[in-house]
């Protein structure tokens, strides 16, 4: 089979016969074939990857939010990449800047620092859907943070979906 036929069969294209698709898929499965996500992202212009930037991963606050974010993202077919900026000077901004290289579909930036206010105000020129949320009350219970995370991821996924359909989207 040609590379084109195999690719189309693995993507269930109807111009490949059902018999050929079945043979190719069975062979791919027997070889533990895993599609190259970079190649898929290049072709589709979508990586199905979301980045979440937090000041510290080991915090109950951010752990509860990440739990909700990751659960919903996975349900919607997205992977989640987590990056922490450890409240260093310009850490959130540097993390955000490092992730705008085309490998992700959207960014969630969460924290408590005043730096987030400046990022949100100056980030209108972002080319990726980005949600910036500052934690105003760090003494909520874990369920409140899970709900906060759920609202954030739903908002980001809505922006990504709207952008993929060609709608104009306010990126931040």
């Amino acid at each position: 089979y040609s590379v084109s036929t195999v690719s189309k069969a693995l993507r269930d294209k109807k111009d490949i016969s059902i018999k050929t698709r079945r043979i190719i898929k069975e062979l791919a499965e027997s070889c533990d074939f895993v599609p190259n996500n970079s190649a898929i992202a290049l072709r589709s212009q979508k990586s199905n990857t979301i980045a979440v930037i937090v000041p510290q991963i080991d915090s109950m606050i951010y752990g509860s939010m990440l739990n909700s974010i990751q659960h919903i993202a996975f349900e919607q077919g997205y992977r989640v990449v987590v990056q922490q900026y450890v409240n260093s000077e310009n850490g959130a901004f540097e993390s955000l800047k490092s992730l705008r290289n085309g490998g992700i579909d959207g960014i969630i930036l969460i924290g408590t620092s005043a730096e987030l206010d400046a990022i949100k105000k100056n980030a209108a020129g972002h080319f990726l859907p980005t949600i910036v949320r500052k934690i105003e009350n760090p003494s909520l219970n874990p369920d409140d943070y899970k709900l906060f995370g759920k609202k954030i991821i739903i908002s980001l996924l809505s922006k990504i979906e709207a952008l993929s359909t060609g709608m104009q989207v306010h990126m931040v």
Side-chain angles (χ1 to χ4, degrees):
Y1 297 106
S2 72
V3 172
S4 177
T5 300
V6 171
S7 177
K8 287 180 177 183
L10 291 172
R11 290 183 288 131
D12 259 340
K13 295 294 182 178
K14 303 302 180 208
D15 56 331
I16 305 299
S17 74
I18 293 172
K19 179 182 175 189
T20 301
R21 282 185 271 162
R22 183 180 47 76
I23 290 168
I24 290 172
K25 285 182 177 184
E26 286 174 0
L27 183 59
E29 188 175 318
S30 72
C31 295
D32 287 330
F33 172 76
V34 177
N36 182 317
N37 286 324
S38 296
I40 292 168
L42 186 62
R43 183 185 70 243
S44 68
Q45 298 294 302
K46 190 172 180 192
S47 67
N48 280 36
T49 303
I50 294 169
V52 181
I53 306 170
V54 296
Q56 58 190 72
I57 295 172
D58 62 350
S59 159
M60 180 202 63
I61 294 171
Y62 303 111
S64 294
M65 281 188 264
L66 285 169
N67 187 6
S68 288
I69 290 168
Q70 192 162 3
H71 180 75
I72 292 170
F74 282 1
E75 283 179 351
Q76 299 298 315
Y78 285 86
R79 293 182 304 255
V80 176
V81 174
V82 179
Q83 186 167 342
Q84 70 177 356
Y85 60 91
V86 199
N87 279 328
S88 63
E89 184 178 341
N90 295 324
F93 177 75
E94 291 301 322
S95 292
L96 182 63
K97 196 167 87 173
S98 75
L99 291 168
R100 288 194 259 158
N101 66 358
I104 56 173
D105 296 331
I107 300 171
I108 296 172
L109 174 57
I110 309 167
T112 56
S113 73
E115 179 187 8
L116 297 184
D117 294 329
I119 289 172
K120 190 170 185 174
K121 194 164 94 173
N122 297 321
H126 286 203
F127 298 107
L128 284 173
T130 304
I131 304 290
V132 179
R133 291 291 186 272
K134 185 175 177 184
I135 305 293
E136 301 292 343
N137 182 358
S139 60
L140 299 174
N141 70 52
D143 288 336
D144 293 329
Y145 292 119
K146 284 181 182 179
L147 182 60
F148 188 73
K150 181 178 179 178
K151 288 178 181 178
I152 293 170
I153 187 64
I154 290 170
S155 177
L156 181 64
L157 292 175
S158 295
K159 283 186 175 197
I160 293 169
E161 181 62 28
L163 190 64
S164 71
T165 61
M167 290 178 59
Q168 290 284 25
V169 176
H170 182 62
M171 292 299 177
V172 178

